[in-house]
Amino acid sequence: MKVLCCSFRLYPYIHVFNKFESAVLTKSVQFTTCVDTFNEAASQTVQKRPDKIKAQNHTFSGPSLADFIQRAHDQGQNTSNNIQDDSYLGAHLFQGNNRSVFIETYGCQMNVNDTEIVQSILEQNGFVKSPTLEKADVVLAMTCAIREGAEEKIWRRLHHFKGMKKRRGKRSPLQIGLLGCMAERLKHKIIDKEKLVDVVCGPDAYRDLPRLLTVTSSTKQSAVNVQLSLEETYADVVPVRINSDSPSAFVSIMRGCDNMCTYCIVPFTRGRERSRALASILNEINVLTEQGCKEVTLLGQNVNSYRDLSSEEHAGSPTQLSAGQNVNSYRDLSSEEHAGSPTQLSAGFSTVYKPKTGGRRFAELLEAVARVNPEMRVRFTSPHPKDFPDEVLDTIIAYPNICKQIHLPAQSGNSQVLASMGRGYTRETYLDLVDHIRKVIPDVALSSDFIAGFCGETEEAHRDTLSLMDIVKYNFAFCFPYSMRQKTRAYHRLEDDVPKDVKMRRHDELHAAFRKYAEARHLSQVGERHLILVEGKSKRSSLDLAGRNDANTKTVFANIPLPFGNEKGSDKSVAKPGDYVVVELTTGNSLGFKGKALYRTTLQEFEAEKEVFKSLIY
C-alpha cells in the first residue's frame, strides 16, 4: 500500500478506486450507477491502450486498472461494516491496531446517536475508546451545521486540536477528524484553506472511517468522504452507548428529511428521508431492555414521517389519512379500507413533495415499540406538525408507557413568515392541530421550536409569535435567533434583512415569554403526584436525586430510603437510576420541580393507581 501510494503515476487510479470503494460501502445509488458506467469505460480503455496498461503493470508490478474496477464491482455484491476480503487492500490494512479515539459531540440528539454508531464501527475495526482527549491517538469532532454559533464553537476547537497536534509532533502523532453535518457543508474550506484536519467524513460515510484514517496515516494527506446515500441507515450497526449507566437511550429510526424548509440545511447535509426496517429497530430496543434501559427516545429529522418499505407486502399501497389530518402517516395494514386509497391532505397542510405510497408507518412502529416492555417509557423527537394523524394520537393515549409529551415545532406564529419558511401550514391550521391534540390527549405536555428574526419578519409578525405562545402555553420551548445557512433555499431566494440586534431582542422576548408561561403551568401542578424516572444524583447536591416525569420535566427530591409500594411497614431502600419514584411536587419554576419522594413503584402500578383515583372522583 505504501509503495503504491508513493507512486505518482498510479495514484490517480488508487484515488478513483477509493472513491468507488467508499461509495459501495455506503450503498450510494448514484455511485453504483457511476461504477457501472466506469466499468464500461475502463474496459474500452484497456482494449484501446493495451501497451500503456501493460507498461504500467510491468513497471510497478501491481494490480491493473481492471483489477481495481473488478474489486469495486465485487464489493458491491457483498456490502458490510468493513471490507471482508483479506486480499489486496483488504480489511487487515484498515485495522486500528488499538489506536485510541476520543470523540467530542456537538448539536442534537441525532449527533449523539451518530457518535455511538461511529464508536461501534471503529471498535469493530480495532480502535479503542480513549478516556481523555490528551491520551488519544485520534480526535474526532461530531459537528452541527444548523446555526452559525455552533459552527464558530467548532472552529475554535479545531484550532485547539491543531495546536495539540503541533506540540506533540512526530513522537506522539495525533490525527484530527471532522464528522457530521459541518463536514459535508464545509469540506473544501476545512481541507484546502484552513488545513485543520486529516479526515473529513459525512453523516452517510461513517463505515468508511477506518479506511480514511488508515489512508491519511500512511500518505500524510487529507482524506475525504462526504458522499450522501439514498439507503444508508446503519440498521445493522449496534451503537456503543456513550453513557452505559444511564437508564435512557436514543434509537435512530430514520435519517434525512424531505420537507425542504427554506431555513434548514438538513436535507443538504443528511440527504433524503429513508427509514430503518421495523424489525431492526425492535431488535435494538430488545437489547436495550435486556441491558436494563427504562426509556428510549426514537430519533429522526422528521421522526413521525417514518415509512418502512423493507417488506414487499407494504410496497405498493397508497396512504390513507384520517379525516382532518395530514399527509404521509400511519396506514392500518390489517384493514382493507386502507388498501387502495390515495393520500388525502387536510385543509391548510401541504408538502413540497408528491404524496408517498406504501410502507409501515409511525403509529405501527410506536405501538410495536411500546409492547416490547410495558415498564419502558417511549418518547420521540423531532416530529413535524403535518404528520400527526389520529392513528398516532390514538396510539399515544392507548399505551401508558408512551409519554404524553409531544414536541410540536411551530417556528413562527405568523402565517406569512410560515409561508416564507416553507412550513406548509398557517397559524390557524397549527392552532387547530393543538386543539385537536388536547382533545384526544387532555393532559398532553407540548414543547416547540421558534426562530426569531427570520427573513422579512416584521414587528407585527413577531407579536403574532408571542401571542401564539400566549395561547398554547408550552411546557418548554427552544428559541433561536435566525442565522442564514449556505445551500438553503432562503440563502438563494430570500434576504436576511433583520438586523442582528433586533434578532437578539426578539429572541430574548420569546425566551422570556416561554419561561413565564412554563413557570405558571408548573406552579399550577404543585401538590400533584408525578411518577419520576430516576436518572442519578442531582448536579447541585449529592444529597438529592434527579429525574424526569412523563412530560420530560426535571424533578429533584431528597435521596432517602423509600418503601416499595404505597404501604406502610415495607422494607425501605434508596432509589437508584432506572427506578420509578412517586414524588409529590412542592415547588416549581420555569425549568422544573422540587418535591417530596413518597415511595418506589412500577410504571404499570402507578397507572393503575391513577385509574382507581379517577374512579373515586367521578
Side-chain angles (χ1 to χ4, degrees):
M1 180 70 177
K2 185 174 181 181
V3 173
L4 289 174
C5 289
C6 291
S7 168
F8 175 79
R9 294 177 63 186
L10 192 55
Y11 181 78
Y13 297 134
I14 295 176
H15 176 67
V16 169
F17 168 69
N18 283 340
K19 288 181 67 178
F20 285 129
E21 181 185 51
S22 64
V24 171
L25 289 176
T26 54
K27 299 182 179 179
S28 167
V29 172
Q30 296 104 325
F31 261 49
T32 300
T33 304
C34 290
V35 168
D36 295 335
T37 304
F38 193 71
N39 239 327
E40 182 179 353
S43 177
Q44 295 173 358
T45 300
V46 171
Q47 293 175 6
K48 292 179 179 179
R49 305 171 67 186
D51 296 337
K52 189 172 183 62
I53 297 295
K54 287 180 180 179
Q56 289 179 344
N57 290 340
H58 176 74
T59 302
F60 299 105
S61 301
S64 68
L65 176 59
D67 294 327
F68 283 104
I69 301 305
Q70 182 61 44
R71 175 163 179 78
H73 176 74
D74 293 342
Q75 288 294 335
Q77 306 300 317
N78 184 24
T79 303
S80 61
N81 280 3
N82 28 47
I83 300 173
Q84 301 295 326
D85 189 7
D86 283 334
S87 61
Y88 178 71
L89 290 183
H92 63 290
L93 294 177
F94 303 143
Q95 289 297 304
N97 298 319
N98 291 320
R99 280 186 290 166
S100 60
V101 179
F102 187 85
I103 307 177
E104 284 193 0
T105 305
Y106 302 86
C108 64
Q109 292 98 328
M110 283 296 295
N111 278 9
V112 175
N113 185 254
D114 277 7
T115 297
E116 296 176 336
I117 289 171
V118 167
Q119 193 69 50
S120 176
I121 291 171
L122 291 176
E123 288 186 6
Q124 291 175 26
N125 286 272
F127 293 84
V128 297
K129 184 177 181 179
S130 175
T132 64
L133 170 63
E134 291 70 24
K135 295 182 179 180
D137 300 310
V138 179
V139 57
L140 304 174
M142 181 66 71
T143 64
C144 174
I146 297 298
R147 282 172 291 278
E148 184 177 1
E151 287 191 356
E152 290 176 352
K153 182 186 297 184
I154 294 165
W155 280 117
R156 291 194 294 269
R157 286 303 281 171
L158 291 179
H159 282 285
H160 174 72
F161 296 155
K162 187 176 181 179
M164 286 182 56
K165 181 177 182 178
K166 186 176 181 180
R167 289 191 297 271
R168 287 169 58 161
K170 296 182 179 180
R171 292 184 178 181
S172 181
L174 176 67
Q175 284 184 283
I176 304 172
L178 193 74
L179 315 180
C181 296
M182 188 174 166
E184 200 288 329
R185 195 179 87 80
L186 296 173
K187 49 189 177 290
H188 297 300
K189 182 178 180 181
I190 294 166
I191 291 292
D192 300 332
K193 183 179 179 180
E194 300 289 344
K195 302 185 184 301
L196 292 174
V197 301
D198 303 295
V199 168
V200 176
C201 187
D204 291 348
Y206 297 145
R207 296 182 193 271
D208 197 31
L209 194 52
R211 185 188 67 84
L212 296 175
L213 290 170
T214 301
V215 168
T216 189
S217 178
S218 302
T219 65
K220 308 305 179 186
Q221 299 294 320
S222 299
V224 181
N225 187 345
V226 292
Q227 178 66 31
L228 294 177
S229 170
L230 293 177
E231 299 180 13
E232 182 62 85
T233 63
Y234 301 105
D236 58 326
V237 178
V238 179
V240 175
R241 296 176 65 194
I242 295 176
N243 184 1
S244 58
D245 297 327
S246 172
S248 303
F250 298 117
V251 176
S252 176
I253 68 168
M254 54 92 71
R255 300 177 73 85
C257 184
D258 289 347
N259 289 322
M260 296 298 293
C261 299
T262 60
Y263 56 82
C264 186
I265 198 173
V266 166
F268 305 98
T269 58
R270 288 186 174 269
R272 299 292 300 274
E273 282 184 10
R274 64 270 188 200
S275 299
R276 283 178 64 182
L278 190 148
S280 74
I281 297 169
L282 296 182
N283 287 339
E284 182 176 342
I285 292 175
N286 273 302
V287 171
L288 291 171
T289 296
E290 294 171 358
Q291 295 173 350
C293 183
K294 287 293 188 70
E295 180 180 88
V296 292
T297 300
L298 307 180
L299 293 179
Q301 267 76 31
N302 187 14
V303 67
N304 54 337
S305 68
Y306 175 84
R307 191 168 66 105
D308 173 19
L309 296 172
S310 63
S311 176
E312 291 184 1
E313 65 178 310
H314 306 297
S317 302
T319 304
Q320 171 68 41
L321 299 176
S322 59
Q325 293 302 312
N326 174 43
V327 75
N328 54 321
S329 300
Y330 175 74
R331 179 168 58 93
D332 182 3
L333 299 168
S334 64
S335 175
E336 293 183 1
E337 66 179 289
H338 298 288
S341 303
T343 301
Q344 297 177 1
L345 298 180
S346 62
F349 281 100
S350 64
T351 62
V352 297
Y353 52 82
K354 294 180 180 179
K356 300 177 182 180
T357 60
R360 306 174 73 172
R361 300 302 177 126
F362 185 62
E364 185 176 353
L365 170 66
L366 201 57
E367 181 176 15
V369 172
R371 289 186 172 189
V372 170
N373 180 3
E375 289 298 317
M376 175 187 280
R377 278 180 173 169
V378 180
R379 303 186 189 275
F380 57 90
T381 197
S382 177
H384 192 286
K386 67 180 174 58
D387 292 315
F388 276 103
D390 285 344
E391 287 90 344
V392 171
L393 302 179
D394 291 341
T395 302
I396 293 173
I397 200 68
Y399 289 87
N401 59 328
I402 301 178
C403 294
K404 310 305 180 282
Q405 178 244 334
I406 293 177
H407 189 63
L408 204 64
Q411 306 301 356
S412 174
N414 178 268
S415 294
Q416 185 174 348
V417 173
L418 289 170
S420 297
M421 290 179 169
R423 292 291 288 171
Y425 54 85
T426 64
R427 169 192 175 93
E428 291 73 24
T429 305
Y430 181 89
L431 287 174
D432 287 345
L433 178 61
V434 169
D435 289 341
H436 182 68
I437 290 174
R438 282 182 166 159
K439 287 177 182 177
V440 178
I441 312 173
D443 56 346
V444 68
L446 296 178
S447 57
S448 191
D449 295 338
F450 290 97
I451 296 174
F454 185 68
C455 306
E457 184 187 64
T458 63
E459 282 299 319
E460 182 181 0
H462 171 60
R463 287 194 294 271
D464 283 346
T465 303
L466 291 172
S467 70
L468 182 82
M469 299 179 80
D470 182 44
I471 293 170
V472 180
K473 296 179 172 59
Y474 297 98
N475 290 64
F476 198 87
F478 300 90
C479 306
F480 305 99
Y482 175 65
S483 59
M484 183 171 277
R485 305 281 80 194
Q486 291 182 356
K487 295 186 179 182
T488 63
R489 291 167 64 197
Y491 180 81
H492 294 288
R493 302 181 184 182
L494 302 175
E495 182 182 354
D496 188 7
D497 54 357
V498 180
K500 185 175 181 180
D501 60 333
V502 175
K503 289 179 184 178
M504 296 308 300
R505 172 180 59 79
R506 293 177 184 176
H507 164 262
D508 292 341
E509 290 175 0
L510 292 177
H511 189 71
F514 139 65
R515 296 197 65 161
K516 179 179 69 174
Y517 299 128
E519 182 172 15
R521 178 176 290 277
H522 291 163
L523 288 174
S524 70
Q525 295 175 299
V526 169
E528 295 180 359
R529 293 185 175 187
H530 287 194
L531 185 68
I532 308 301
L533 177 62
V534 179
E535 295 178 335
K537 291 184 178 180
S538 170
K539 293 181 179 179
R540 294 190 175 184
S541 173
S542 60
L543 301 178
D544 293 332
L545 292 177
R548 294 183 182 271
N549 64 4
D550 186 88
N552 207 27
T553 307
K554 187 175 182 180
T555 305
V556 176
F557 53 92
N559 185 8
I560 59 175
L562 298 169
F564 187 87
N566 193 13
E567 296 182 6
K568 296 180 180 180
S570 61
D571 294 335
K572 296 182 178 182
S573 63
V574 175
K576 59 184 183 300
D579 285 347
Y580 288 109
V581 175
V582 177
V583 176
E584 183 177 303
L585 308 180
T586 56
T587 61
N589 57 33
S590 61
L591 299 179
F593 300 104
K594 285 188 176 181
K596 177 183 178 183
L598 302 178
Y599 55 92
R600 294 174 292 118
T601 187
T602 67
L603 190 153
Q604 296 297 311
E605 288 179 358
F606 180 76
E607 291 298 323
E609 291 174 6
K610 282 174 57 177
E611 292 302 318
V612 171
F613 182 71
K614 287 180 181 178
S615 65
L616 293 176
I617 294 178
Y618 298 106

